Amino acid sequence: QVQLVESGGGSVQAGGSLRLSCVASRSISSFNFMGWYRQAPGKQRELVATITISGRTNYADSVKGRFTISRENAKNTVYMQMNSLKPEDTAVYYCYANDFRNVYWGQGTQVTVSS
């Protein structure tokens, strides 16, 4: 059973920054993709950013230039640095991992951005 544990969420004012962390219970080199989704109240869960085993990244248009996803294999951790936060970034952020056999999800961490 794979566990993904997120941390780093919180409340900030618009323009502020947060860094999310996702620690996996096994080597992240075993996952083809890892990344972050988010879900705002009353909305569907949406993709925010992904990173492949080779380090290739992909971002939603709404966060390009503001968010940066990275991975630290030695710590089995994926990060997402979020800068220039906007109120519309308010959501629960979920870490996910995909090894092409299964998809795993974390429990989520709340990010709240006030104007």
Side-chain angles (χ1 to χ4, degrees):
Q1 182 73 13
V2 174
Q3 289 187 324
L4 303 175
V5 179
E6 303 105 330
S7 62
S11 297
V12 295
Q13 290 189 328
S17 298
L18 286 171
R19 188 175 81 155
L20 304 183
S21 299
C22 172
V23 181
S25 59
R26 77 180 198 206
S27 172
I28 63 172
S29 297
S30 66
F31 300 116
N32 301 88
F33 292 89
M34 293 190 72
W36 296 90
Y37 279 70
R38 68 186 180 187
Q39 187 166 19
K43 294 188 177 181
Q44 289 188 331
R45 192 173 294 191
E46 63 174 359
L47 176 68
V48 179
T50 59
I51 186 165
T52 69
I53 190 172
S54 62
R56 187 171 60 192
T57 59
N58 183 54
Y59 298 93
D61 288 343
S62 59
V63 306
K64 282 181 181 176
R66 300 188 298 122
F67 291 11
T68 303
I69 189 171
S70 61
R71 57 193 292 158
E72 188 169 0
N73 290 348
K75 294 186 176 182
N76 291 332
T77 302
V78 171
Y79 304 98
M80 186 160 70
Q81 178 68 41
M82 305 187 296
N83 298 327
S84 302
L85 283 162
K86 304 175 181 180
E88 50 264 43
D89 295 318
T90 295
V92 178
Y93 284 70
Y94 297 91
C95 177
Y96 95 106
N98 185 338
D99 62 9
F100 286 166
R101 292 168 296 179
N102 291 294
V103 176
Y104 308 94
W105 294 94
Q107 80 286 355
T109 185
Q110 176 70 45
V111 171
T112 302
V113 185
S114 58
S115 57

